[in-house]
Amino acid sequence: MPVTASRRIEAEPGLNWSGRVSLTSRILAVNIFALALLAGGFFYLDSYRSRIVDGRVAQATREARLIAAALAAVEPAERPALALDLARDTGTRLRLFESARETLDTRAMGLRNFVLIDPSTESRGQAAGRFLDALIDTVVGAERAPLYRERKPGQAWPDVLAASAGRPSSSVWRAPDRTPVITAAARVAPGMVVMSAVNARDITQTVRLERFRLSLVLAATTLVSVYLSLFLARTIVGPLRRLARAAIRVRRGRAREVVVPRLPYRRDEIGSLARAVSDMSQALRARIDATEAFAADVTHELKNPLASLRSAIEGLGRIADPALRDQLLAVMRDDVLRLDRLITDISEASRLDAQLSRAKFEQIDLRALIAAMVAGRAARGIERGVRLRLDPGRGPATVLGEPIRLERVFDNLIDNAISFSPDGGLIVLALEAGEGEVIVSVEDEGPGVPEDAREAIFRRFHSVRPGGEAFGKHSGLGLAIARTIIDGHQGGIAVESRDDRLSGARFVVSLPLAG
């Protein structure tokens, strides 16, 4: 099994806020932030209004120059009638100044096309519009135009003073209802200036209409966004909360009571997480059950030699016959050896899973490893004349694993085959390359394993020994340890009948080839 390391990843300082904010709040915040960008359109409308006003100011300046040229081209007696016609056509209020003194006013002549609205006479909707205008102007820092007021006799208009010097001039004022008033002045003749004034309420109405439409779009978008955010939060946060509650109950030690939702209808990452957590909790339950069973088995296996040892010690003090004392001492030695063997195997079996999870796998030539083991056994000699033979086969046999652990597997299988083999029997180890894996078989000529016991022999402390073997020579953990090691190497181990139908057992180990 490849080494996996878990490392705590510290959050960056700029992202620490996210750990303190719920997922629902974050989803809403992200979507509302996008809406805030849309709301920026309100401020864009202020820029749009400024551009319209600038265009109207330029237009008013041009009109003032044209009106001045037209008035200069006619006789003084004809100027009042012409001024009325021009004011009516352009929608402006025209005034004529001579030496800064007003001599003509189209409003005084009866043309009332320049009327300022009293805010107190307007509806609540207009008042709300003015409030919104003031609010946006304040937020964007728009320059506030001066309030338009009529000049008293003797007070000159700034545009008139500028035009008297020969420079056409224009200004933007603010009416009491916050609509723009545009004035422009141009020189008609030396000492004579014409000034136009228009209350451009249409600009304010256009901007407010666009702002109202944008408000409707923003309100509808906000409602849809909030609904979708809550729906998204429910589909994400709800299952996560259920999983979190189940995980907390598992952590508190009530794993047997917890049913972790698997969410089979979810085919997304949440569903994958739910099924992974459910599988993890089931694996935890299985591990707890296995630990409890293992503890019970250990207690049972240790009690037998301890009871025998205690009985021998109690009888030793009451027996004077030297032969019987020697027999009891032999029993005690066997029990001590059995306890030592049990404790060693139990210790290895209990630590095996953890050790395999931390193991650093390397590439192993399985053919060379088994060949060295067979040669070493043959050099040391095998009891009862049992023979070993290796059929190396052909094809790749390189696997990823831990050499010492794999040696333990094949040592256990060879020891098991030797103990069940008849005197002079033959044990054959064969390698065969399969599809993406290498298969190692160990065949003996013993009595074989009954079909109904072929799974049970891999359980811990399950021991079926050949007749005539002294009791307590094996702990019953060898095949269980072998399966644990092979499982940790992502392989498989099983027992079956021999292919040639002769008497004996055939253990088959499969390991994935190194990529």
Side-chain angles (χ1 to χ4, degrees):
M1 180 182 298
V3 179
T4 57
S6 176
R7 186 177 57 176
R8 183 180 178 184
I9 301 176
E10 298 291 345
E12 296 182 10
L15 301 178
N16 285 344
W17 67 272
S18 63
R20 300 190 295 268
V21 181
S22 69
L23 190 57
T24 301
S25 300
R26 274 183 274 174
I27 292 173
L28 285 171
V30 168
N31 287 328
I32 290 175
F33 176 75
L35 292 175
L37 297 179
L38 178 61
F42 284 104
F43 307 115
Y44 168 77
L45 288 177
D46 180 76
S47 174
Y48 171 68
R49 178 181 60 186
S50 298
R51 289 197 299 271
I52 294 178
V53 170
D54 291 342
R56 294 291 290 275
V57 168
Q59 177 185 345
T61 304
R62 290 193 299 269
E63 288 180 350
R65 294 175 64 184
L66 293 173
I67 291 172
L71 292 175
V74 299
E75 295 295 329
E78 298 176 358
R79 286 172 182 167
L82 180 59
L84 275 175
D85 291 337
L86 291 174
R88 190 177 292 109
D89 292 339
T90 58
T92 60
R93 176 186 181 184
L94 296 180
R95 281 182 281 190
L96 195 63
F97 295 87
E98 295 183 23
S99 301
R101 183 175 62 85
E102 184 178 307
T103 59
L104 184 148
D105 184 0
T106 57
R107 182 175 180 181
M109 297 170 64
L111 182 62
R112 305 186 64 82
N113 60 351
F114 179 81
V115 179
L116 300 181
I117 304 299
D118 183 359
S120 62
T121 63
E122 290 188 307
S123 64
R124 291 183 180 180
Q126 294 294 331
R130 289 195 304 274
F131 173 77
L132 187 58
D133 289 341
L135 177 62
I136 294 179
D137 288 344
T138 302
V139 172
V140 301
E143 185 177 353
R144 191 177 184 185
L147 183 65
Y148 179 87
R149 290 190 179 93
E150 292 294 338
R151 294 295 190 266
K152 295 179 181 179
Q155 293 180 344
W157 290 87
D159 294 334
V160 173
L161 293 176
S164 298
R167 300 188 308 273
S169 177
S170 59
S171 299
V172 179
W173 309 82
R174 173 173 49 89
D177 62 346
R178 298 191 64 84
T179 57
V181 175
I182 300 173
T183 61
R187 189 171 69 174
V188 177
M192 182 180 296
V193 175
V194 64
M195 187 182 81
S196 66
V198 61
N199 185 8
R201 288 197 297 271
D202 60 312
I203 296 177
T204 301
Q205 291 171 354
T206 300
V207 172
R208 287 179 180 174
L209 178 61
E210 294 302 319
R211 190 176 290 152
F212 174 72
R213 291 172 179 171
L214 182 59
S215 299
L216 293 180
V217 172
L218 183 60
T221 306
T222 301
L223 290 176
V224 173
S225 180
V226 170
Y227 173 77
L228 291 178
S229 298
L230 294 176
F231 172 75
L232 183 62
R234 197 180 97 181
T235 58
I236 294 176
V237 178
L240 289 179
R241 285 176 177 167
R242 292 172 60 192
L243 292 175
R245 286 194 294 266
I248 290 173
R249 294 182 65 192
V250 172
R251 178 178 59 82
R252 289 176 177 173
R254 294 190 288 271
R256 293 182 182 276
E257 306 172 13
V258 179
V259 177
V260 178
R262 295 185 62 85
L263 306 181
Y265 56 90
R266 297 287 294 258
R267 299 300 176 186
D268 54 6
E269 291 80 358
I270 299 294
S272 299
L273 174 63
R275 290 182 284 277
V277 173
S278 177
D279 292 340
M280 181 182 67
S281 67
Q282 292 176 5
L284 178 60
R285 294 179 193 177
R287 181 62 60 87
I288 293 173
D289 292 341
T291 301
E292 292 177 352
F294 183 62
D297 291 341
V298 167
T299 302
H300 175 74
E301 292 296 324
L302 290 177
K303 276 186 176 181
N304 289 334
L306 284 174
S308 175
L309 187 60
R310 182 172 60 248
S311 178
I313 291 173
E314 291 174 353
L316 190 63
R318 299 193 300 267
I319 296 175
D321 187 351
L324 290 178
R325 290 175 65 87
D326 291 341
Q327 186 176 356
L328 287 177
L329 289 173
V331 170
M332 292 170 63
R333 281 194 296 270
D334 289 341
D335 289 337
V336 169
L337 290 175
R338 184 183 176 195
L339 283 172
D340 180 69
R341 185 164 46 252
L342 276 171
I343 292 171
T344 301
D345 288 347
I346 289 169
S347 176
E348 180 176 359
S350 62
R351 298 197 309 267
L352 196 54
D353 286 338
Q355 290 173 344
L356 285 171
S357 67
R358 297 190 299 268
K360 295 183 178 179
F361 286 3
E362 59 186 73
Q363 289 195 351
I364 303 169
D365 185 346
L366 203 59
R367 186 176 287 109
L369 183 143
I370 295 177
M373 292 177 60
V374 171
R377 289 266 185 166
R380 294 193 303 269
I382 303 175
E383 60 190 44
R384 296 185 290 110
V386 176
R387 295 163 295 150
L388 285 178
R389 191 182 76 194
L390 174 63
D391 291 340
R394 294 183 179 181
T398 303
V399 300
L400 284 176
E402 198 175 20
I404 296 176
R405 300 295 179 189
L406 293 179
E407 284 183 9
R408 175 65 188 273
V409 170
F410 295 112
D411 265 337
N412 285 354
L413 294 179
I414 292 172
D415 286 341
N416 187 73
I418 290 174
S419 64
F420 281 95
S421 292
D423 295 345
L426 176 65
I427 300 173
V428 179
L429 286 84
L431 279 79
E432 177 184 355
E435 185 175 351
E437 64 181 2
V438 58
I439 299 173
V440 182
S441 62
V442 181
E443 291 184 350
D444 61 49
E445 296 178 340
V449 181
E451 190 170 349
D452 57 355
R454 289 179 181 176
E455 186 61 30
I457 61 173
F458 292 102
R459 297 174 188 163
R460 289 170 174 172
F461 301 111
H462 184 91
S463 181
V464 178
R465 306 312 307 167
E469 183 179 86
F471 178 74
K473 292 291 185 181
H474 294 83
S475 64
L477 289 171
L479 291 179
I481 290 174
R483 169 163 280 185
T484 301
I485 294 173
I486 294 299
D487 288 344
H489 285 73
Q490 309 300 316
I493 182 172
V495 61
E496 56 189 37
S497 300
R498 291 176 52 142
D499 292 338
D500 54 15
R501 303 296 181 181
L502 297 177
S503 175
R506 183 174 186 264
F507 284 83
V508 180
V509 175
S510 60
L511 291 168
L513 289 170

